Amino acid sequence: MVQYHHRGCHRQGNHETVGENKEKRPKFFINDHVDILIEILKRLDCRSLCVAASVCRLWCTIARNDSLWENLCFRHVSPPPTSVRSVVLALGGYKRLYMGCVRPVRSRLGRARRASWARDEVQLSLSLFCVDYYERLGGSNSNGRVVGESSPSSLMFLCKPVNV
Amino acid sequence: MKRDHRDITGATDYSSGSGSRADSSSIGNSIKAKLWEEDRDAGGMDELLAVLGYRVRSSDMADVAQKLEMLEMVMGTAQEDGISHLSSDTVHYNPSDLSGWVQSMLTELNGPPTPNLDPVLADSDFNSSNPQHRQRNQSRVFHDDSEYDLRAIPGVAAYPPPKSDPDSDSTRKRVKTSMSSSGPDGDGSGSSFSSPQENGIPGTVTESSTRPVVLVDSQETGVQLVHTLMACAEAVQQDNLKLADALVKHVGLLAASQTGAMRKVATYFAEALARRIYRIFPQDSLDPSYTDILQMHFYETCPYLKFAHFTANQAILEAFATASRVHVIDFGLKQGMQWPALMQALALRPGGPPAFRLTGIGPPQLDNTDALQQVGWKLAQLADTIGIEFEFRGFVANSLADLEAEMLEIRPPEVEVLAVNSVFELHRLLARPGGFEKVISSIKAMKPKILTVVEQEANHNGPVFLDRFTEALHYYSSLFDSLEGSGVAPPSQDLAMSELYLGRQICNVVACEGMDRVERHEPLTQWRSRMETAGFSAVHLGSNAYKQASMLLALFAGGNGYRVDEYNGCLMLGWHTRPLIATSAWRLATTESG
């Protein structure tokens, strides 16, 4: 509201049509309130978040922020200890954790899921995430004779479509 | 499928001479015209073949397909002038009626078909006593050697007993295969025996697997395959190597007509048997890095190794509890795939991570590279990333029995908590007398807080070869089935490598003896008694391990087939009803808990 008032002050020397513009101008523009925007985006699900990322540059930057993905990962789980964050960030970040592990794990477990298993799902995802990081560390030596082939990925079984 | 039929008919046409072809095309044209005039569904004739000029009923298609394949087999195996009479002497009537024409061709070649005789096998390969063949001057592939007494094969595999029709049929009906055959279920087996198939030949079914009638034969061959394998093993057991040789070749023939898991298992077992017969023993001491690569692919395609690692890790984690310094000795480090997950769990332990020390033991590498150090370096990188104090030591040893506790620099239990981990390593020690006892006493000297053991749940170490063979056949069939059912279709290289990994195990179990036979799997009950005799008592794997294992299995595509079972505190992973690997944890019986 302060902004508006300021604009009103600076407009004294402007064109007369400005007065009409005052009424047509939207009273609230979300991009001006990034903190509210973040609060809203924090509560979205994965698909909506990805869609939101293609709205405009500001939204894209915000959606890429890892803390939003952290919320997604730990959504139905009681807040994890703070040490988790440093580990996850070191291993590649929450977005990678979510897209690579948490999402496939949650979707695969689908109907079989119980609410009490939410924490275990995240733990399992973390373990798989760590194993994947370890594999990606591998230099050429670990593949030995397999030259030119893509290195085996322990998460490949999560990427394959499932015959449910 | 229909394309194959056309190709086959084209081939047989050419081979039987030009006369019949000219006939068929002229007849074909007139018939073709007729067919186009008639309605689409002209008396149940197959439309695509009708366009070519052949009249075949859709309902007869499978039958005709089989007969054509029989014909092809016979022609393929006949030598020189064996079939020249087909072009010069025989009169072909109405070749456009494929069914009748093929039947008459077969009659020409085989003589009147006798019930329950496998003409293809009996005629082309094992022309034992059919006098009409000798009359027709047909060349025989095998000379009549009385040592090839195929009556040894139980059932009606290759030399069916001269029984009457209903008897043998009922025998076949009653025979149940305990291996799951590849492909769709043979539920139509019972009813299809009534179909008038005089020449009950197992045909290649790869292209016709959607038709229930042909399924019967696939399972039929499957049963024959199992019987032949068993007969071959028995022959080897009785040291009747000539018979075993003949049977092994027969297995190869039968295996070629199967698909999927059954085919692969049969092929591997046949190869292993052949090696045993010809005494071409595989070199087990091949490049260990190659074995590692194979195991990596096995790690990816199916959950067995992941299950082993996760459950063992959970037991170790619980044993470590709140210790500030921990030490793990891994009896088979390989690529170190087990440890990232443990390190991550330690890093996120409430109360902060302990100092983690890992001692990895591995076989000597052929090219003198220090594989252990490379793995250690990778793990150190990971430890650095997630913030754990890490120390690594690698030990190269030909056999675990070469190790002494003093070499490993064990620190006293007040300073450092020790866990010993063995995944698929202990059974190798049984090859050397006293090997296992020595290692167990070394472990006791180390005073570990916990010893985690993962082993195959199978009895491949019995004194009698035939028993081992039978057990192995069932075990690896289940294993291959699960690989097949895992739905990992695109990265076929992974699947192939995993199968090769298992194939080498099969080869070792069947073909090797003495110190070379290292795959001496024993069931959990036997391990339990060994451990208890040695002074260890079982530690129950808790519900956390069970939960993790169940979730892990649910992630795999074949998740419905995998089963986790708890058995006296140990966890077993199996495929359907068959447990395949077992994880157990042990502690020294005399130590105080804590």
Side-chain angles (χ1 to χ4, degrees), chain A residues 82-95:
Chain A
T82 46
S83 53
V84 175
R85 184 175 296 168
S86 55
V87 170
V88 175
L89 288 179
L91 291 176
Y94 278 101
K95 181 165 186 202

Side-chain angles (χ1 to χ4, degrees), chain B residues 303-433:
Chain B
Y304 301 107
L305 277 179
K306 287 197 179 79
F307 169 83
H309 293 171
F310 277 59
T311 44
N313 282 345
Q314 191 61 35
I316 295 175
L317 203 57
E318 282 166 13
F320 281 167
T322 50
S324 59
R325 303 194 71 85
V326 300
H327 183 197
V328 174
I329 298 180
D330 188 1
F331 276 174
L333 185 64
K334 306 244 163 54
Q335 295 291 316
M337 296 298 294
Q338 184 173 350
W339 308 116
L342 181 66
M343 287 160 75
Q344 175 261 311
L346 287 174
L348 297 179
R349 198 174 66 158
F356 180 64
R357 191 170 142 220
L358 177 66
T359 303
I361 300 170
Q365 299 289 318
L366 288 188
D367 52 355
N368 281 334
T369 54
D370 201 346
L372 291 174
Q373 279 306 318
Q374 282 165 6
V375 173
W377 181 81
K378 265 173 73 173
L379 288 170
Q381 261 195 302
L382 175 66
D384 188 46
T385 309
I386 60 179
I388 297 189
E389 195 186 319
F390 180 70
E391 203 185 314
F392 178 80
R393 189 107 183 268
F395 273 93
V396 172
N398 261 315
S399 160
L400 289 175
D402 297 338
L403 287 173
E404 308 282 340
E406 303 82 48
M407 292 184 216
L408 299 173
E409 284 180 28
I410 313 290
R411 295 176 196 154
E414 309 82 51
V415 176
E416 201 173 57
V417 179
L418 176 66
V420 179
N421 178 74
S422 153
V423 175
F424 299 150
E425 291 294 332
L426 285 187
H427 62 258
R428 297 167 170 265
L429 299 170
L430 301 176
R432 244 164 69 166

Side-chain angles (χ1 to χ4, degrees), chain B residues 18 28 39 46 58 60 84 90 109 112 137 168 191 230 287 297 320 336 376 450 457 459 488 527 585:
Chain B
S18 50
D39 240 8
D46 182 80
S58 306
D60 288 344
S84 60
T90 16
L109 287 170
N137 217 8
S168 328
S191 53
M230 299 301 302
D287 196 354
H297 286 274
F320 281 167
I450 191 167
E457 176 68 12
N459 195 355
V488 182
W527 286 113

Side-chain angles (χ1 to χ4, degrees), chain B residues 216-538:
Chain B
V216 173
D217 296 326
S218 160
Q219 191 172 39
E220 172 78 14
T221 329
V223 171
Q224 290 181 12
L225 190 53
V226 178
H227 281 158
T228 317
L229 276 169
M230 299 301 302
C232 186
E234 203 170 336
V236 170
Q237 165 90 19
Q238 292 159 359
D239 230 5
N240 187 350
L241 294 181
K242 277 214 173 174
L243 173 59
D245 183 32
L247 289 170
V248 149
K249 290 178 179 141
H250 191 34
V251 169
L253 191 70
L254 285 173
S257 68
Q258 291 291 300
T259 55
M262 184 103 173
R263 180 193 190 127
K264 292 167 190 168
V265 173
T267 314
Y268 279 118
F269 272 94
E271 185 200 325
L273 279 169
R275 280 182 180 275
R276 195 182 178 100
I277 295 169
Y278 303 134
R279 299 191 195 281
I280 309 171
F281 297 117
Q283 301 288 336
D284 187 58
S285 55
L286 276 184
D287 196 354
S289 65
Y290 180 59
T291 323
D292 282 357
I293 293 171
L294 292 181
Q295 195 179 44
M296 274 303 291
H297 286 274
F298 183 66
Y299 180 85
E300 260 110 53
T301 43
C302 49
Y304 301 107
L305 277 179
K306 287 197 179 79
F307 169 83
H309 293 171
F310 277 59
T311 44
N313 282 345
Q314 191 61 35
I316 295 175
L317 203 57
E318 282 166 13
F320 281 167
T322 50
S324 59
R325 303 194 71 85
V326 300
H327 183 197
V328 174
I329 298 180
D330 188 1
F331 276 174
L333 185 64
K334 306 244 163 54
Q335 295 291 316
M337 296 298 294
Q338 184 173 350
W339 308 116
L342 181 66
M343 287 160 75
Q344 175 261 311
L346 287 174
L348 297 179
R349 198 174 66 158
F356 180 64
R357 191 170 142 220
L358 177 66
T359 303
I361 300 170
Q365 299 289 318
L366 288 188
D367 52 355
N368 281 334
T369 54
D370 201 346
L372 291 174
Q373 279 306 318
Q374 282 165 6
V375 173
W377 181 81
K378 265 173 73 173
L379 288 170
Q381 261 195 302
L382 175 66
D384 188 46
T385 309
I386 60 179
I388 297 189
E389 195 186 319
F390 180 70
E391 203 185 314
F392 178 80
R393 189 107 183 268
F395 273 93
V396 172
N398 261 315
S399 160
L400 289 175
D402 297 338
L403 287 173
E404 308 282 340
E406 303 82 48
M407 292 184 216
L408 299 173
E409 284 180 28
I410 313 290
R411 295 176 196 154
E414 309 82 51
V415 176
E416 201 173 57
V417 179
L418 176 66
V420 179
N421 178 74
S422 153
V423 175
F424 299 150
E425 291 294 332
L426 285 187
H427 62 258
R428 297 167 170 265
L429 299 170
L430 301 176
R432 244 164 69 166
F436 177 75
E437 286 73 21
K438 177 156 191 300
V439 171
I440 274 289
S441 60
S442 309
I443 296 177
K444 281 171 76 172
M446 297 177 204
K447 295 201 182 54
K449 180 93 182 284
I450 191 167
L451 162 67
T452 49
V453 174
V454 182
E455 285 293 330
Q456 290 94 340
E457 176 68 12
N459 195 355
H460 298 160
N461 201 20
V464 181
F465 170 73
L466 189 56
D467 295 337
R468 293 203 301 267
F469 184 86
T470 319
E471 281 284 325
L473 194 55
H474 289 131
Y475 181 80
Y476 285 102
S477 304
S478 301
L479 213 39
F480 270 81
D481 252 0
S482 70
L483 279 183
E484 205 77 6
S486 69
V488 182
S492 57
Q493 194 207 7
D494 264 344
L495 195 60
M497 304 278 252
S498 314
E499 286 161 4
L500 191 54
Y501 172 76
L502 294 175
R504 284 160 64 104
Q505 284 183 6
I506 293 174
C507 211
N508 191 275
V509 174
V510 173
C512 298
E513 276 304 330
M515 298 257 297
D516 287 331
R517 179 159 65 89
V518 290
E519 300 291 341
R520 293 178 183 252
H521 310 150
E522 286 191 351
L524 182 60
T525 44
Q526 283 186 18
W527 286 113
R528 183 184 290 275
S529 63
R530 279 184 202 272
M531 299 300 286
E532 280 169 0
T533 320
F536 284 88
S537 62

Side-chain angles (χ1 to χ4, degrees), chain B residues 2-76:
Chain B
K2 288 177 179 160
R3 180 168 288 283
D4 285 344
H5 284 306
R6 288 203 293 267
D7 288 344
I8 291 172
T9 54
T12 50
D13 269 344
Y14 281 120
S15 59
S16 60
S18 50
S20 58
R21 184 139 175 93
D23 277 343
S24 75
S25 36
S26 61
I27 292 178
N29 284 335
S30 56
I31 289 185
K32 206 195 289 188
K34 250 197 240 171
L35 283 171
W36 281 116
E37 283 166 13
E38 290 171 0
D39 240 8
R40 275 273 147 192
D41 190 2
M45 299 295 168
D46 182 80
E47 289 147 19
L48 289 180
L49 284 180
V51 171
L52 287 181
Y54 294 106
R55 289 186 314 156
V56 186
R57 278 188 207 286
S58 306
S59 51
D60 288 344
M61 286 288 269
D63 191 37
V64 171
Q66 268 171 33
K67 289 184 187 159
L68 285 169
E69 278 150 9
M70 284 192 283
L71 197 55
E72 187 186 35
M73 272 226 243
V74 174
M75 286 180 169

